[in-house]
Amino acid sequence: MSADTAAAAPTLTAAERALLATVADHLIPAAHGMPSAAEVLTGERIRFVLNARPDLAEPIRVALGAGLAEDPAARVAALAHDNPAALGALQLAIVAGYYTDGRVRELIGYPGQVALSIRSWEVPPYVEEGLIDA
């Protein structure tokens, strides 16, 4: 990504980031040794998501906009009823930011994508075991 592209990446205001953290904490609270989404969704994580998916910025702004309840549960319920596309963008950004965080991936035991060697001349064990026969 060039410096021009990075500079043009969408960002959220401090107020939008604060509200995003409140909703994120509601959707993914800390539990069972896992951090809450609000703990993970730093400005850097949000920039990471919006750099990858700049199309999410506008629906996220709508989801975080004024005129909706400040209470995160009420906001999510209102969005589910009135603007499911904005809610979907908000949820996607929260989940993407959360599960692409290195600490979260380490805690759930996911190393990321791993290259596998495929030998075209060998029959995979799942074929020999009949797992896909049906």
Side-chain angles (χ1 to χ4, degrees), residues 65-112:
L68 292 171
E70 290 301 313
D71 172 64
R75 181 175 287 263
V76 168
L79 285 167
H81 183 265
D82 298 332
N83 197 336
L87 176 60
L90 183 63
Q91 290 170 325
L92 177 58
I94 291 168
V95 169
Y98 188 77
Y99 285 108
T100 57
D101 179 72
R103 181 173 54 136
V104 170
R105 287 195 329 250
E106 185 178 309
L107 286 168
I108 63 173
Y110 177 64

Side-chain angles (χ1 to χ4, degrees), residues 3-133:
D4 292 313
T5 306
T11 59
L12 299 178
T13 67
E16 288 169 334
R17 286 192 311 271
L19 187 52
L20 175 69
T22 302
V23 174
D25 205 32
H26 167 71
L27 294 176
I28 306 176
H32 308 289
M34 296 297 294
S36 73
E39 294 173 53
V40 173
L41 288 178
T42 62
E44 180 182 332
R45 296 283 352 122
I46 295 167
R47 277 190 302 279
F48 173 81
V49 172
L50 293 179
N51 280 334
R53 291 289 308 271
D55 59 304
L56 296 177
E58 190 52 37
I60 289 171
R61 284 190 189 100
V62 169
L64 299 174
L68 292 171
E70 290 301 313
D71 172 64
R75 181 175 287 263
V76 168
L79 285 167
H81 183 265
D82 298 332
N83 197 336
L87 176 60
L90 183 63
Q91 290 170 325
L92 177 58
I94 291 168
V95 169
Y98 188 77
Y99 285 108
T100 57
D101 179 72
R103 181 173 54 136
V104 170
R105 287 195 329 250
E106 185 178 309
L107 286 168
I108 63 173
Y110 177 64
Q113 294 179 340
V114 178
L116 300 175
S117 297
I118 304 293
R119 297 183 194 114
S120 62
W121 60 89
E122 291 181 357
V123 177
Y126 62 85
V127 172
E128 289 181 0
E129 294 169 5
L131 296 177
I132 61 172
D133 288 349

